Amino acid sequence: MNDIEKLINSILKHEYGETWDKLDESVVQDKLKKTHKLYDEISVKYKNNPSAKNYNLLLTAMLSLQYWNQKQIKMFSLVEDF
């Protein structure tokens, strides 16, 4: 990982925990929706202008999207997990 990837990863983990740490479904779905929008917008910007700034923003968007796609959700269950 490069420095930007490490920084984004550590910020997400510090704020929301590891991907296996469960969060409420509404929080995860909201963050996932926002990161999809961010990724869509930044990827268009990068295609139009592949500058270093847009590249770093694209990395941030991709890492955030990957994190929220893998994030575990608290779910109500009538059965116990073994």
Side-chain angles (χ1 to χ4, degrees), residues 16-74:
Y16 300 104
E18 296 287 342
T19 55
W20 58 79
D21 295 334
K22 295 180 180 183
L23 281 179
D24 291 334
E25 183 177 11
S26 61
V27 173
V28 175
Q29 292 300 325
D30 180 53
K31 298 294 185 182
L32 192 54
K33 181 178 154 185
K34 289 177 181 178
T35 56
H36 273 286
K37 183 178 178 182
L38 175 67
Y39 176 76
D40 291 342
E41 290 176 10
I42 296 300
S43 61
V44 169
K45 284 185 179 184
Y46 182 75
K47 287 176 189 176
N48 293 331
N49 179 16
S51 66
K53 176 186 173 188
N54 286 342
Y55 175 77
N56 290 335
L57 290 172
L58 185 60
L59 272 178
T60 302
M62 288 190 300
L63 287 168
S64 298
L65 186 59
Q66 182 180 24
Y67 176 86
W68 289 110
N69 271 318
Q70 296 175 353
K71 189 68 175 165
Q72 296 293 310
I73 297 173
K74 289 181 187 175

